[in-house]
Amino acid sequence: MDVSLVGSGTAPDQPTRGRPRSEAVERAILEGTMKLLEDGVPLAEISIERIARTAGVGKATIYRRWSGKEELFVDVLRSAEPEDPEQLPGTSMRDDLIVLLESLRQRGLANRSSAILHNVHAQMKSSPKIWAAYHNAVILPRRRAGIEVLRRGQKNGELRADLDVELVNDIVVGPMLVRAVLRPEADLPEDLAERIVDTLLAGLRPVD
């Protein structure tokens, strides 16, 4: 599988030496890791040494970019998943929520269509270190983005001020997660994000 490079949250090469990061090298490492996964190698058996051999680089090259395999696995998954929206519309709370939910729907579709992604996600949850790295680098920022949208909605009068935004965020995201994860047979139609948001906001908007 050809994976495109995405931004990494890991430490860059040592800036004092003036060595620029090589996108080609990073891509080779990400693709080498993905090849091992495609070949059926379990996450627990993939070591930095094995990745280095597959990618044709030295271990030091990997460690200059990632502190360990947990952080590397996170970037491999992020490179294979649909990208998060770079910027929200900012026109209204409703529009921003729809964009965030649509991104979740796209990831659900990708997970269904890719046996590799589905398998890796399942394995990752059985590895506390890998799951913690993915949770901190990927899931938490997405959750914070949703909560921030809801807080802006409260300030703008689009959402009732008495509501717990963390609970509301779970209520907004929950239906999409149920469809995407817990009900793999359920449809994920193109208008699902819009329908979920509009259904919920009908009961969560301030009463005039």
Side-chain angles (χ1 to χ4, degrees):
M1 175 186 296
D2 182 20
V3 294
S4 57
L5 188 66
V6 298
S8 171
T10 55
D13 275 347
Q14 301 171 12
T16 55
R17 297 183 182 180
R19 294 183 60 181
R21 294 170 68 95
S22 168
E23 291 192 5
V25 170
E26 291 190 11
R27 186 174 295 110
I29 295 168
L30 294 174
E31 291 179 351
T33 308
M34 183 60 75
K35 182 180 186 305
L36 291 172
L37 294 170
E38 288 177 334
D39 290 343
V41 181
L43 280 177
E45 297 180 14
I46 298 180
S47 63
I48 293 294
E49 291 83 358
R50 195 165 186 176
I51 294 170
R53 288 197 304 270
T54 304
V57 300
K59 289 193 299 181
T61 300
I62 296 177
Y63 281 119
R64 279 197 296 268
R65 291 158 172 81
W66 294 276
S67 61
K69 70 177 186 179
E70 291 82 15
E71 288 76 14
L72 172 54
F73 287 154
V74 169
D75 275 359
V76 170
L77 279 175
R78 291 172 72 177
S79 69
E81 292 178 333
E83 293 186 8
D84 290 329
E86 292 185 5
Q87 186 173 356
L88 297 176
T91 52
S92 68
M93 179 184 68
R94 174 185 178 272
D95 292 345
D96 288 350
L97 289 176
I98 289 174
V99 169
L100 290 176
L101 276 192
E102 173 60 18
S103 178
L104 182 57
R105 186 184 76 89
Q106 291 294 335
R107 290 194 296 275
L109 289 172
N111 197 50
R112 289 183 181 184
S113 62
S114 170
I116 296 297
L117 274 178
H118 183 77
N119 185 34
V120 171
H121 275 291
Q123 291 186 65
M124 185 172 57
K125 291 178 182 178
S126 66
S127 172
K129 287 186 177 181
I130 297 175
W131 177 249
Y134 185 80
H135 183 267
N136 292 334
V138 179
I139 296 178
L140 278 183
R142 290 170 180 166
R143 179 174 177 79
R144 292 190 192 107
I147 291 173
E148 178 59 28
V149 167
L150 294 170
R151 284 179 176 152
R152 288 201 304 269
Q154 283 185 323
K155 292 179 181 178
N156 297 334
E158 300 173 271
L159 185 69
R160 282 168 39 198
D162 63 317
L163 294 173
D164 179 344
V165 291
E166 294 207 15
L167 177 59
V168 173
N169 185 70
D170 292 342
I171 293 173
V172 172
V173 174
M176 189 66 79
L177 285 178
V178 168
R179 283 286 187 101
V181 180
L182 299 180
R183 294 183 57 204
E185 81 288 350
D187 290 336
L188 291 172
E190 292 185 2
D191 66 341
L192 182 57
E194 184 175 358
R195 287 164 53 197
I196 290 174
V197 171
D198 286 341
T199 299
L200 293 173
L201 290 186
L204 297 176
R205 286 193 180 97
V207 177
D208 295 332

